[in-house]
């Protein structure tokens, strides 16, 4: 990894609550997003569990990536963390404590829009310590079963994400390609309201497992053999944009502020998290990356 720029860390100006129903558990849940000190990153706290156990939002704490990203233990961990993490990373909130009274954040409408709205209500506070923005000196690419995701070097401090969605010939979800220069503005305008999508068969499989109790066609994009069921797209490429949203959330688990070009083909949470782990491992880090020094290539003015 190589330092390309700095920016000052940010947290919330005040605490803010987001309430709703969890898509996986079907429980009424509340997330309280609270300001946190510099260099602490994002931490989930299960206030409903004895001792209020905490889990840092880092790739090494990921315990499941089947259709969603889960961190921590089966009893005290948190599932479906990618949307709230994407909102924080997309708006460049570096330090935040997320208190939950259940096993997952509110599902809302399957997007990160509600979390972005809450963060904006809370406001942002610039902190006194700088955060390094890093890139790679050569591409990191992970592949599995014909899918891939790669992180390519940057010249400038920005992060670009490209996603190619391809469910194959005859799928009710058409092939889509999208590229987004991820900034707080573009995240809020073009990614935050893009919703989770599933095939009807995938939704049925979740329910058969006794999970996905709030998976419904009113909020989520569920595609049957003839196309989208009981809903309308917010943009023609909404599924591909949601995949970019997921990538922003999953890659924040690397603990780094990234610059470069992420290119993904049919990638899901499993490959996204593997890439986050590969990025983290490049420095062999045992502590939070925010406090690590890197060789300087160029600093922002």
């Amino acid at each position: 990894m190589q330092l390309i720029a700095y920016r000052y860390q940010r947290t919330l100006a005040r605490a803010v609550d987001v309430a709703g129903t969890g898509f996986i558990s079907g429980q009424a849940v509340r997330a309280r997003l609270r300001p946190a000190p510099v260099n602490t990153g994002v931490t989930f706290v299960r206030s409903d569990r004895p001792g209020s156990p905490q889990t840092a939002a880092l790739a090494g704490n990921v315990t499941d990536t089947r259709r969603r990203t889960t961190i921590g233990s089966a009893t005290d961990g948190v599932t479906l963390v990618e949307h709230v993490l994407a909102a924080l990373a997309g708006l460049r909130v570096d330090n935040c404590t997320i208190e939950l009274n259940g096993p997952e954040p509110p599902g809302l409408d399957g997007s990160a829009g509600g979390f972005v709205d809450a963060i904006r209500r809370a406001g942002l506070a610039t902190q006194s310590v700088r955060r390094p923005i890093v890139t790679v000196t050569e591409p990191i690419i992970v592949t599995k079963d014909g899918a891939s995701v790669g992180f390519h070097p940057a010249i400038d401090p920005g992060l670009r994400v490209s996603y190619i969605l391809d469910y194959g010939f005859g799928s009710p979800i058409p092939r889509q390609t999208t590229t987004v220069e991820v900034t707080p503005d573009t995240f809020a305008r073009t990614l935050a309201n893009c919703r989770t999508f599933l095939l009807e068969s995938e939704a049925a499989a979740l329910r058969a497992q006794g999970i996905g109790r709030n998976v419904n066609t009113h909020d989520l994009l569920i595609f049957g053999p003839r196309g989208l069921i009981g809903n309308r797209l917010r943009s023609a490429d909404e599924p591909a944009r949601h995949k970019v949203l997921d990538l922003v959330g999953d890659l924040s688990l690397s603990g780094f502020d990234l610059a470069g070009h992420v290119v993904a083909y049919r990638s899901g949470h499993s490959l996204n998290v593997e890439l986050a782990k590969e990025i983290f491992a490049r420095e062999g880090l045992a502590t939070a990356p925010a406090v690590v020094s890197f060789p300087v290539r160029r600093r922002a003015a």
Side-chain angles (χ1 to χ4, degrees):
M1 303 297 291
Q2 191 167 30
L3 176 67
I4 192 170
Y6 286 109
R7 65 174 176 80
Y8 282 96
Q9 295 180 32
R10 303 204 297 184
T11 189
L12 302 179
R14 63 178 181 87
V16 64
D17 288 351
V18 181
T21 304
F23 278 125
I24 304 303
S25 65
Q27 298 178 17
V29 287
R30 185 193 70 249
R32 170 162 288 183
L33 281 60
R34 296 196 291 107
V38 297
N39 293 334
T40 56
V42 177
T43 302
F44 288 89
V45 179
R46 286 286 302 275
S47 62
D48 61 316
R49 298 293 299 160
S52 298
Q54 302 183 19
T55 305
L58 290 172
N61 290 331
V62 173
T63 50
D64 200 344
T65 54
R66 290 172 294 178
R67 298 214 57 83
R68 60 195 183 278
T69 300
T70 302
I71 63 173
S73 70
T75 55
D76 297 331
V78 182
T79 195
L80 221 164
V81 298
E82 59 269 20
H83 299 162
V84 65
L85 291 181
L88 292 168
L91 297 186
R92 294 180 183 160
V93 179
D94 308 297
N95 304 303
C96 181
T97 300
I98 305 171
E99 294 181 355
L100 293 171
N101 65 347
E104 61 181 312
L108 306 178
D109 66 350
S111 77
F115 296 113
V116 167
D117 292 343
I119 292 167
R120 285 177 159 176
R121 290 198 307 272
L124 299 177
T126 301
Q127 297 175 293
S128 61
V129 175
R130 294 188 301 178
R131 176 176 173 87
I133 303 172
V134 302
T135 190
V136 285
T137 55
E138 59 184 22
I140 303 174
I141 300 173
V142 293
T143 64
K144 184 177 181 180
D145 298 333
S148 66
V149 59
F151 181 37
H152 301 266
I155 298 174
D156 298 312
L159 177 65
R160 175 186 298 176
V161 181
S162 298
Y163 194 92
I164 303 167
L165 185 148
D166 187 359
Y167 270 66
F169 179 76
S171 170
I173 306 176
R175 179 184 168 101
Q176 303 173 12
T177 301
T178 192
T179 295
V180 180
E181 300 280 350
V182 182
T183 68
D185 177 63
T186 60
F187 183 88
R189 285 191 299 105
T190 68
L191 296 177
N193 72 341
C194 295
R195 294 160 292 176
T196 297
F197 66 95
L198 306 91
L199 295 175
E200 188 177 25
S201 57
E202 294 171 326
L206 284 174
R207 296 189 190 103
Q209 296 170 35
I211 58 178
R213 293 182 175 88
N214 197 39
V215 171
N216 63 82
T217 57
H218 174 72
D219 293 319
L220 306 184
L221 303 178
I222 299 180
F223 290 83
R226 297 184 179 181
L228 187 60
I229 302 171
N231 214 323
R232 299 180 64 182
L233 293 173
R234 291 172 176 167
S235 64
D237 59 350
E238 185 174 358
R241 291 190 191 191
H242 183 81
K243 287 291 193 177
V244 174
L245 185 158
D246 281 345
L247 264 165
V248 171
D250 287 337
L251 290 183
S252 73
L253 294 164
S254 71
F256 287 110
D257 198 334
L258 301 174
H261 190 184
V262 176
V263 181
Y265 173 69
R266 298 178 59 201
S267 178
H269 296 297
S270 179
L271 277 187
N272 297 349
V273 171
E274 284 305 311
L275 178 57
K277 289 179 178 179
E278 285 290 332
I279 293 168
F280 185 89
R282 288 299 161 116
E283 286 294 323
L285 299 175
T287 57
V291 299
V292 174
S293 298
F294 296 88
V296 175
R297 178 197 293 175
R298 182 172 61 82
R299 297 191 181 190

